[in-house]
């Protein structure tokens, strides 16, 4: 993992790109709620190692007091999202009773710069939720950061 400025993780037919908040399966976006996505990033980045419940709570909900049930609910959402696309993915997250979780699938780490940025951006854009109607000026202002981010990714 060291040496990767913007890591991208490949496991099975999945591609996880934390910097773009994107999870893709065979190039198609996979919907995953915010905290579930953050949990998956922590688990995948520590693949093969036990990640304690305390560490997960600290990294995903920093500075907040959160019930452990939130961890269980989000872990269930991750398992369902992965298993819906790949049946063998149901066993990729091991629960270590009273301790934490371990991501067991083999993970390859790439640098985002090595990915096909045009394809990645197209798929990430497809996975974004549809916008509610807004005044034209507000829409233009909202697009500016997106274009800056796209330009920066293309330069990388």
């Amino acid at each position: 993992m060291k040496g990767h400025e913007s890591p991208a993780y490949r496991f099975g037919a999945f591609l996880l790109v934390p910097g773009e908040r994107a999870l893709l399966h065979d190039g198609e976006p996979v919907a995953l709620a915010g905290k579930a996505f953050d949990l998956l990033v922590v688990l995948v980045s520590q693949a093969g190692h036990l990640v304690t419940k305390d560490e997960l709570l600290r990294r995903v909900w920093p500075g907040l007091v959160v019930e452990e049930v939130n961890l269980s609910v989000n872990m269930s959402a991750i398992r369902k999202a992965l298993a819906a696309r790949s049946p063998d993915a149901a066993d990729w997250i091991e629960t270590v009773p009273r301790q934490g979780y371990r991501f067991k699938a083999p993970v390859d780490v790439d640098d985002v710069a090595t990915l096909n940025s045009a394809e990645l951006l197209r798929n990430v854009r497809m996975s974004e939720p549809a916008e509610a109607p807004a005044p034209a000026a507000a829409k233009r202002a909202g697009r500016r950061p997106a274009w800056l981010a796209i330009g920066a990714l293309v330069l990388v």
Side-chain angles (χ1 to χ4, degrees), residues 36-85:
F37 183 88
D38 295 340
L39 278 171
L40 182 61
V41 170
V42 173
L43 287 172
V44 170
S45 69
Q46 300 295 315
H49 300 282
L50 173 68
V51 184
T52 66
K53 291 178 181 182
D54 287 340
E55 182 178 353
L56 288 168
L57 291 170
R58 190 173 47 255
R59 289 181 66 180
V60 176
W61 289 275
L64 298 174
V65 177
V66 179
E67 298 277 335
E68 233 179 75
V69 70
N70 289 309
L71 193 56
S72 300
V73 167
N74 282 288
M75 204 60 69
S76 176
I78 294 169
R79 286 179 168 133
K80 286 179 185 175
L82 296 178
R85 300 289 180 116

Side-chain angles (χ1 to χ4, degrees), residues 92-139:
W92 288 352
I93 299 174
E94 175 187 9
T95 300
V96 180
R98 295 182 297 279
Q99 296 296 312
Y101 299 89
R102 180 180 293 118
F103 192 81
K104 299 188 316 182
V107 175
D108 293 321
V109 183
D110 293 327
D111 196 308
V112 170
T114 65
L115 301 176
N116 179 345
S117 60
E119 185 70 14
L120 176 63
L121 288 173
R122 181 179 65 79
N123 287 323
V124 169
R125 195 175 286 146
M126 285 175 44
S127 68
E128 294 174 355
E131 292 182 18
K139 282 187 180 179

